[in-house]
Amino acid sequence: MSDASKGPVKVPLRNNIRRYTRSVFLFLLPCLAGTALFLGDPQRFESVARYFGVQISENSPPRPVLVEPAAVSTPAPPRSTDIPVRLIEAPEPEVAGQFLRMWRVSGPVICKALRDAGIETSEWRAPSMRSTSRECYFQRIYRRNDVRPLSSVFLRVKGSASGDIVDIRGKLVGPPMDAEGRLDAGHMKIFETLVRQAGWSDFQDALAPIRSLRDFENERFGAYFSFKRDAASADSYNFMLVVAAGSGPQTRTKAYFSAERWVEAPDPRITELSVPISQLASKQGAYRQQGVASR
């Protein structure tokens, strides 16, 4: 008789227990892994619990700190600065006189200024009928002997027929002194008037040595001013003031201050006129672009 006729075959109990244990192990393995994962990160475990509405800890979790993106600073728009027109006008002759030695007064004017100061110069005129030059002069002899003056003063301002001054020369012989041994005020008016009319403030330094009858010699920006004791006479003094613009710096300075090299200034009655610096910059940029395009 075959084995099938004997009835169903019974599986051993040992195999059933083995399969059951394996199934339980496979079911518990994911649970244990998930538990270990959440226990390793309590905040994540509490977040999952809060998702299902379960309060795990009494203390409320700290709110997450929101880091705002850094604000990008935008550059401020360029400010418009106004430049008064007077700052870009051509230099004035008064300013030029401090750098370029030139007579800003005419011969007749300086002769009149000397007369107003008490120095009785002659009128501005030609020294002779055929002379093309002009001059005014002052001469006074206070004391003399049979040979020469012992005390005198001589001054001459020489120039052209148009009134331009060429030079100023003079001589003091036996000049009177005051009680302190200085040149008397009447003679000092000659030099004070010349320096004031020339308008060169740096030549004010010449007045102190002249007042003390000490030698002075200086040349600045083409002007030469000297006051020296005469080598032939211990009591005589020669002085001279000459302007000669011939050097390279003199020529360049004269060209800079020439009115022909500057744009004509606007109407001086418009006192509020100004030019924005932004407009000047844009114009300069346009000029550069035109120059590049022309190349």
Side-chain angles (χ1 to χ4, degrees):
M1 182 179 296
S2 63
D3 295 336
S5 61
K6 293 181 182 182
V9 180
K10 296 182 179 179
V11 180
L13 180 61
R14 185 186 306 173
N15 295 336
N16 293 336
I17 294 174
R18 189 177 299 169
R19 286 195 297 271
Y20 179 75
T21 303
R22 185 180 301 170
S23 301
V24 172
F25 178 75
L26 293 175
F27 175 76
L28 292 177
L29 182 61
C31 295
L32 293 176
T35 303
L37 179 63
F38 282 106
L39 290 177
D41 192 355
Q43 294 183 357
R44 184 181 299 175
F45 184 74
E46 290 180 2
S47 63
V48 173
R50 286 195 303 270
Y51 179 78
F52 291 100
V54 180
Q55 181 74 25
I56 301 301
S57 61
E58 296 180 358
N59 298 328
S60 59
R63 296 181 179 180
V65 179
L66 300 179
V67 179
E68 298 181 357
V72 180
S73 60
T74 57
R79 299 175 60 183
S80 177
T81 304
D82 293 340
I83 298 180
V85 173
R86 65 178 180 273
L87 296 182
I88 57 176
E89 288 182 339
E92 299 179 357
E94 290 75 9
V95 180
Q98 299 300 323
F99 301 95
L100 173 66
R101 295 309 187 200
M102 58 183 181
W103 292 106
R104 289 180 287 156
V105 293
S106 62
V109 171
I110 197 170
C111 293
K112 183 179 183 303
L114 288 168
R115 288 193 296 271
D116 294 341
I119 312 301
E120 299 178 358
T121 61
S122 62
E123 297 292 335
W124 183 258
R125 62 191 179 189
S128 62
M129 296 183 59
R130 296 184 178 182
S131 176
T132 58
S133 62
R134 300 291 187 273
E135 65 179 29
C136 71
Y137 66 93
F138 170 72
Q139 183 175 9
R140 181 72 54 87
I141 299 175
Y142 301 99
R143 184 166 53 91
R144 65 182 307 166
N145 57 14
D146 297 337
V147 180
R148 59 184 177 85
L150 299 178
S151 179
S152 64
V153 56
F154 172 75
L155 169 66
R156 185 187 65 182
V157 180
K158 185 178 180 180
S160 64
S162 60
D164 296 332
I165 300 174
V166 175
D167 60 33
I168 300 176
R169 300 174 184 266
K171 186 171 186 177
L172 300 179
V173 177
M177 312 291 289
D178 60 10
E180 298 179 0
R182 300 180 302 180
L183 185 63
D184 74 316
H187 285 67
M188 275 302 301
K189 287 182 179 180
I190 297 176
F191 305 99
E192 293 172 352
T193 304
L194 294 179
V195 172
R196 183 173 61 254
Q197 290 297 315
W200 307 324
S201 57
D202 54 345
F203 274 152
Q204 292 282 343
D205 301 338
L207 298 179
I210 292 175
R211 184 177 289 108
S212 301
L213 295 178
R214 291 183 286 109
D215 288 355
F216 173 84
E217 183 179 16
N218 202 343
E219 183 176 3
R220 298 178 181 177
F221 299 98
Y224 178 73
F225 193 9
S226 68
F227 180 86
K228 292 184 177 181
R229 187 185 300 269
D230 193 344
S233 176
D235 203 20
S236 299
Y237 303 87
N238 299 315
F239 60 90
M240 177 175 56
L241 181 55
V242 181
V243 175
S247 64
Q250 278 289 105
T251 304
R252 290 191 294 271
T253 306
K254 185 176 181 180
Y256 173 78
F257 283 99
S258 176
E260 289 77 10
R261 298 174 60 91
W262 291 81
V263 179
E264 184 178 357
D267 191 341
R269 293 173 297 179
I270 307 176
T271 57
E272 300 298 330
L273 182 61
S274 61
V275 180
I277 191 173
S278 57
Q279 294 183 9
L280 293 177
S282 61
K283 290 182 179 179
Q284 291 178 358
Y287 293 154
R288 293 193 187 99
Q289 292 179 1
Q290 292 178 3
V292 173
S294 61
R295 294 179 184 175

